[in-house]
Amino acid sequence: MVLFLGTKSYFYSSPVLCKSIASNSNHNHAAHSLDAVYIKRAADIADSSAGFTSPHPNFGCVIATPSGTVAGEGYLYAQGTKAAEVLAVEAAGGFSKGSTAYLNMEPGDCHGDHSAVSALVQAGIKRVVVGIRHPLQHLHGNAIRSLRGQGLQVDVVGEDLKSKIMEEARKSCLLVNAPLIHRATSRVPFSVIKYAMTLDGKIATSSGHAAWISSKESRNRVFELRGRSDAIIVGGNTVRKDNPRLTARHGGGHTPIRIVMTQTFNLPEEANLWDISDVSTIVVTQRGARRSLQKLLASKGVEVVEFDILNPREVMEYFHDRGYLSILWECGGTLAASAISSGVIHKVFAFVAPKIIGGKNAPSPVGELGMVEMSQALDLIDVCFEQVGPDMLISGFLQPVPDLVPVIPSEDETFAIDPSITPYDSKIIFFYKTWDPYGAFSNFSPHPIQMPDGSGSYVTWSSAHKFVGVNEPVAKDCVEKIKSAKSPEEAARMGRSMQKQRSDLVRSDWEGLKIDVMYRALKCKFSIYPHLQSMLLTTAGSVLVEASPHDLFWGGGREGEGLNYLGRLLMLIRSEFLGECSSPSESTCTAL
């Protein structure tokens, strides 16, 4: 059974399994169960304005009395309207006093506006449960600090409240504000690609005819998806062949901007999209393309934006700068492949109709991606299956919803590692390449070290440790090649490559040993090079994050999804150095 985030949450729904809350004598478990129910409810109602107002941060508030009864609810309908917290307090009236307010997201009171926080304080709310902190850095943590400063108890899910059911509730909060979170963590809007295809994977016949592959019910769902978007993107080929209107005529009050992406500006002089009486159209194109037609469309009120280099990422960064949160791609296979390859597509909605049309030259929904092996296939995550009329809707994420910054390491873990850090008030220092300001923290920095090998001798630390001691000629040969590599980066690449090809050659105890090996290497490095230790100590109070986009164990990952163990270890060593009265002396470490 699949639980969706409200009746209109097709855009952000996720396959969260429904589980009955069994009676449990453990008070904390019961309390968490109730908290999770109301946090999910807050996320549910936060999505209520979708399709009616332009995409915006989704806020929901549920006020529950000490007995567990819901006294009031509210959600932000649109920017400039009353805050969710204000509406919930008004609905609850006198029952607000001593009650708990559940917020899917930390209030986003702007500078000089404290209506959400003031409403909760003045109503006599005793406790506030927050699903996620506000993802925008200039608002991140502000309201929570203010509420706590006013004497309210504030519990943040995932920090103060930790359990499996609370993590599921937090996921609902992340999903309902996925566009805002993507805006906060990247420079592209949250992008969804939608297409309808037959059972044999065709989006049109060989002649190009495509009306209609999917059912009326599926098309109505598309209107709702459009209503949740700031804009819809199609390619020039779609304009020429389908002459679409791209309206949300059955999906609510909000109608998204229409965007046409065309390299050559090979577009018809007359098209439905050139009628801007109800909604605007923007054409993005290569600079200098068909200037005469550009002038004609401009005379009709169509906006034309030229790019020196026209590609999906450049276009998405441009619309990010224009403030767009959500983009729906309804393009053909060629543009779809380009968008996916550019990494700008985050979620897929595929309507599969129970039809077969065949055709060697019939187009498919995604063009050439350059993949030659099934191991290269892109796997969807958080996949949902839903029958829509006679069709099957399959949806899922190509990229996970990024977690909020800073979460690497977690707040509790950070403070436990280094008490000098005040969670959420700390500066984040990213390091990755050796030419970065803090590139000396990288494992690839030019600071060779020697470590004891257990037999009384010293060996140069390298990426070969994972293969040391394996009684296989290939493993021994790999160790020697890694040791003779010209650079740490090449050595690391050799190690990764061998591990992928022959995982059986990795020493059996490596998973439990690698953190300790790295710790000892780092401790040596920052002990034998005084200037490195000095640099490390100057970061006291800051969170250190190794910004590798692909190493999800030692690094922070592309969107903050990595474990950042390298950053964690550096903060631990920094704390140890700060706790010593004088510069440490490491007898086991010697400079080369």
Side-chain angles (χ1 to χ4, degrees):
M1 183 176 181
V2 175
L3 174 65
F4 292 96
L5 304 180
T7 57
K8 298 190 181 79
S9 61
Y10 310 115
F11 211 59
Y12 312 111
S13 56
S14 68
V16 180
L17 297 179
C18 296
K19 296 184 180 180
S20 60
I21 303 173
S23 59
N24 193 318
S25 58
N26 187 293
H27 174 74
N28 288 334
H29 178 80
H32 278 201
S33 298
L34 193 61
D35 288 341
V37 168
Y38 289 139
I39 281 292
K40 286 183 179 180
R41 175 61 185 167
D44 189 351
I45 64 173
D47 196 40
S48 298
S49 67
F52 294 93
T53 59
S54 180
H56 54 73
N58 291 317
F59 293 97
C61 176
V62 175
I63 295 177
T65 65
S67 64
T69 303
V70 174
E73 295 181 338
Y75 65 89
L76 179 67
Y77 181 74
Q79 292 297 292
T81 60
K82 285 186 177 181
E85 297 81 2
V86 173
L87 293 173
V89 164
E90 290 178 351
F95 292 104
S96 296
K97 189 175 180 62
S99 294
T100 297
Y102 294 88
L103 318 178
N104 67 297
M105 185 167 69
E106 176 184 12
D109 285 341
C110 298
H111 180 70
D113 172 26
H114 308 289
S115 58
V117 170
S118 297
L120 298 175
V121 173
Q122 293 172 9
I125 293 293
K126 183 179 181 180
R127 175 177 177 244
V128 179
V129 179
V130 178
I132 60 173
R133 291 175 179 263
H134 203 292
L136 298 181
Q137 282 300 102
H138 64 285
L139 297 172
H140 190 84
N142 293 350
I144 291 174
R145 284 191 293 271
S146 181
L147 288 167
R148 286 173 174 165
Q150 296 281 350
L152 279 69
Q153 176 186 342
V154 181
D155 294 325
V156 182
V157 178
E159 301 170 29
D160 308 294
L161 304 175
K162 294 184 178 181
S163 66
K164 185 176 181 180
I165 57 174
M166 293 310 299
E167 183 57 34
E168 291 177 353
R170 184 173 184 270
K171 184 176 182 179
S172 299
C173 298
L174 290 170
L175 291 174
V176 79
N177 270 305
L180 182 67
I181 295 170
H182 274 278
R183 178 171 182 80
T185 57
S186 65
R187 290 195 54 80
V188 295
F190 181 72
S191 290
V192 170
I193 190 167
K194 158 266 160 188
Y195 54 81
M197 68 179 187
T198 60
L199 278 177
D200 53 339
K202 309 297 183 182
I203 60 173
T205 64
S206 298
S207 66
H209 188 262
W212 297 101
I213 286 179
S214 59
S215 64
K216 182 178 180 180
E217 294 90 339
S218 292
R219 296 197 296 276
N220 286 339
R221 180 64 64 83
V222 172
F223 292 137
E224 295 176 3
L225 291 176
R226 290 175 180 173
R228 292 172 170 273
S229 307
D230 283 310
I232 307 168
I233 288 189
V234 297
N237 194 46
T238 299
V239 177
R240 291 189 297 271
K241 290 188 175 182
D242 299 341
N243 193 22
R245 295 183 183 274
L246 301 181
T247 62
R249 54 187 178 274
H250 302 308
H254 168 65
T255 302
I257 301 295
R258 289 90 54 93
I259 300 172
V260 179
M261 187 171 173
T262 171
Q263 193 90 23
T264 62
F265 219 88
N266 181 18
L267 300 171
E269 294 185 0
E270 299 294 332
N272 289 325
L273 292 182
W274 310 157
D275 178 4
I276 62 168
S277 55
D278 293 324
V279 62
S280 300
T281 297
I282 303 172
V283 179
V284 294
T285 189
Q286 191 80 24
R287 188 172 303 282
R290 297 192 68 184
R291 284 290 171 79
S292 59
L293 183 57
Q294 286 191 35
K295 291 180 180 179
L296 176 63
L297 295 188
S299 69
K300 296 174 181 286
V302 175
E303 181 182 355
V304 178
V305 180
E306 294 182 304
F307 289 79
D308 292 328
I309 300 176
L310 186 71
N311 60 60
R313 178 158 291 277
E314 293 285 338
V315 171
M316 287 298 94
E317 289 179 356
Y318 170 77
F319 284 108
H320 167 275
D321 291 341
R322 287 183 63 152
Y324 288 25
L325 284 177
S326 304
I327 304 288
L328 179 63
W329 295 66
E330 294 193 44
C331 51
T334 301
L335 183 52
S338 179
I340 291 173
S341 297
S342 297
V344 299
I345 300 298
H346 304 103
K347 193 171 186 180
V348 177
F349 278 82
F351 294 87
V352 183
K355 301 175 182 178
I356 296 176
I357 58 176
K360 179 180 179 181
N361 297 319
S364 63
V366 181
E368 180 59 52
L369 291 175
M371 297 181 181
V372 295
E373 296 179 358
M374 284 305 298
S375 60
Q376 297 174 292
L378 302 175
D379 294 322
L380 298 184
I381 57 178
D382 285 336
V383 179
C384 283
F385 302 89
E386 181 186 357
Q387 186 166 347
V388 181
D391 305 329
M392 180 63 69
L393 170 58
I394 304 173
S395 62
F397 287 85
L398 274 174
Q399 303 178 30
V401 178
D403 218 328
L404 307 180
V405 177
V407 296
I408 307 172
S410 70
E411 303 80 18
D412 291 340
E413 290 170 318
T414 298
F415 186 74
I417 291 171
D418 187 348
S420 72
I421 292 178
T422 303
Y424 300 107
D425 293 326
S426 305
K427 176 183 177 183
I428 305 174
I429 293 176
F430 294 92
F431 62 96
Y432 180 30
K433 297 296 186 180
T434 56
W435 54 82
D436 292 338
Y438 290 89
F441 293 171
S442 167
N443 282 342
F444 299 154
S445 68
H447 301 97
I449 56 177
Q450 286 189 322
M451 297 175 59
D453 63 359
S455 63
S457 301
Y458 288 86
V459 295
T460 302
W461 184 82
S462 70
S463 301
H465 285 276
K466 66 183 72 174
F467 306 108
V468 172
V470 178
N471 191 24
E472 283 277 353
V474 177
K476 294 179 180 179
D477 182 60
C478 180
V479 169
E480 293 306 314
K481 287 183 178 179
I482 290 175
K483 288 182 177 180
S484 61
K486 294 181 179 180
S487 69
E489 187 169 351
E490 290 171 319
R493 186 164 57 245
M494 289 179 189
R496 287 194 300 266
S497 177
M498 181 56 68
Q499 187 172 0
K500 289 179 180 178
Q501 296 174 20
R502 292 287 305 274
S503 59
D504 59 301
L505 297 181
V506 178
R507 52 192 294 179
S508 59
D509 60 348
W510 181 243
E511 284 303 312
L513 194 64
K514 61 184 179 182
I515 294 178
D516 180 64
V517 171
M518 180 66 79
Y519 165 79
R520 289 187 290 112
L522 292 172
K523 193 64 179 287
C524 286
K525 175 178 178 177
F526 288 91
S527 296
I528 63 180
Y529 294 101
H531 66 287
L532 295 188
Q533 184 180 139
S534 177
M535 175 184 283
L536 182 62
L537 294 179
T538 63
T539 68
S542 297
V543 177
L544 303 180
V545 178
E546 204 274 1
S548 169
H550 53 78
D551 189 336
L552 301 186
F553 185 85
W554 298 112
R558 185 181 303 277
E559 304 290 355
E561 72 275 28
L563 297 175
N564 188 43
Y565 270 108
L566 185 57
R568 296 178 188 222
L569 290 176
L570 286 174
M571 287 186 287
L572 173 61
I573 293 170
R574 179 181 66 192
S575 180
E576 292 174 349
F577 286 152
L578 287 171
E580 296 173 5
C581 297
S582 58
S583 298
S585 174
E586 290 287 325
S587 60
T588 59
C589 305
T590 57
L592 292 180

